[in-house]
C-alpha cells in the first residue's frame, strides 16, 4: 500500500512540464512529505493495521501455568546459599535476557557459561529472533544434598514474542548447582549456577 501512495506523487513532481528545473528538488520533497502524510493518515484509520496482542501467560494452577503454591513468602532476608537464593539467580538470569544483556546471563550458567552448551556469542545470537522475552519464577524446591554438592529445582514459566509478531509460551524447570562449604571450594564454586533448563511448549491463558 505504501508504493501506491508514494510513486504517483513523485512522478507528478518530477515530470510535470510546468515545473522549472530549479524547483524540482523542492517539489519532490514537498510531494514526498504530502505522500508520507497520506500514508500516516491511512495507517491510523485502517482497521486492518494490526497491533500485536499482549502476551498472556497462563495463571498459576492452570494448564501452562506455574504450580499454585499458596505458602506465604517470607519477607525476611534470604541467604545467598539458600533455595531462595537459587531462585533469585534464575530471576536475575531472565531479567538480564529481557534487557538484552546476554553475556551476563550466559555467565550464570555453571562452569563459566559452558554448561549452557554454547559459547557466549552463540548464546546471544539465539535470542536475536525475539522482540521481547520474559519469565515468571515459581517457589524453589528443597535443597538436595549429597557428596558435598547442592542442587535446587526452580519452576519457570517463560514467554516471548518473535519479531514476526507470534507469541510463544513455555513451562518447565531450571536446576541449579553449587558446591558446599568444603576445603578447596572457591566463592564461585559455592555460588548457585544454572546446571540445566528444561522448558516445553505451553498454552497461553484462556
Amino acid at each position: 500500500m505504501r508504493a501506491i501512495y508514494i510513486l504517483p506523487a513523485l512522478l507528478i513532481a518530477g515530470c510535470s512540464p510546468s515545473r522549472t528545473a530549479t524547483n524540482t528538488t523542492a517539489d519532490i520533497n514537498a510531494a514526498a512529505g504530502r505522500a508520507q502524510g497520506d500514508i500516516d493518515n491511512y495507517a491510523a484509520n485502517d482497521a486492518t493495521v494490526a497491533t500485536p496482542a499482549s502476551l498472556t501467560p497462563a495463571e498459576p494452577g492452570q494448564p501452562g501455568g506455574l504450580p499454585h503454591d499458596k505458602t506465604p513468602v517470607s519477607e525476611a532476608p534470604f541467604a545467598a546459599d539458600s533455595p531462595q537464593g537459587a531462585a533469585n539467580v534464575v530471576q536475575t538470569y531472565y531479567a538480564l535476557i529481557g534487557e538484552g544483556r546476554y553475556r551476563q546471563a550466559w555467565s550464570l550458567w555453571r562452569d563459566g557459561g559452558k554448561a549452557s552448551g554454547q559459547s557466549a556469542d552463540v548464546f546471544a545470537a539465539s535470542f536475536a529472533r525475539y522482540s521481547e522475552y520474559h519469565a515468571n519464577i515459581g517457589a524453589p524446591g528443597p535443597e538436595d544434598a549429597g557428596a558435598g554438592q547442592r542442587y535446587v529445582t526452580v519452576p519457570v514459566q517463560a514467554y516471548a514474542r518473535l519479531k514476526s509478531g507470534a507469541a510463544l509460551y513455555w513451562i518447565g524447570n531450571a536446576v541449579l548447582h553449587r558446591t558446599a562449604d568444603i576445603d578447596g571450594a572457591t566463592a564461585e564454586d559455592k555460588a548457585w549456577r544454572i546446571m540445566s533448563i528444561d522448558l516445553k511448549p505451553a498454552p497461553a491463558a484462556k
Side-chain angles (χ1 to χ4, degrees), residues 57-78:
E59 295 293 326
Q62 299 298 314
L66 292 168
H68 202 326
D69 186 353
K70 298 182 180 180
T71 304
V73 177
S74 173
E75 296 182 0
F78 61 84

Side-chain angles (χ1 to χ4, degrees), residues 95-181:
L96 290 169
I97 290 175
E99 296 169 3
R101 297 159 66 184
Y102 304 121
R103 185 173 290 274
Q104 288 174 266
W106 176 80
S107 70
L108 292 178
W109 283 83
R110 195 172 57 130
D111 296 333
K114 294 178 182 178
S116 68
Q118 299 173 311
S119 68
D121 290 339
V122 172
F123 177 84
S126 70
F127 293 97
R129 64 189 184 129
Y130 300 107
S131 60
E132 53 181 308
Y133 201 106
H134 313 278
N136 294 321
I137 309 304
E143 185 175 83
D144 183 14
Q149 307 302 307
R150 303 290 185 265
Y151 303 89
V152 165
T153 298
V154 179
V156 174
Q157 179 191 47
Y159 53 104
R161 188 183 302 284
L162 295 172
K163 289 181 178 177
S164 65
L168 299 174
Y169 302 88
W170 303 272
I171 193 74
N173 294 296
V175 177
L176 289 91
H177 164 269
R178 71 178 184 86
T179 300
D181 190 8

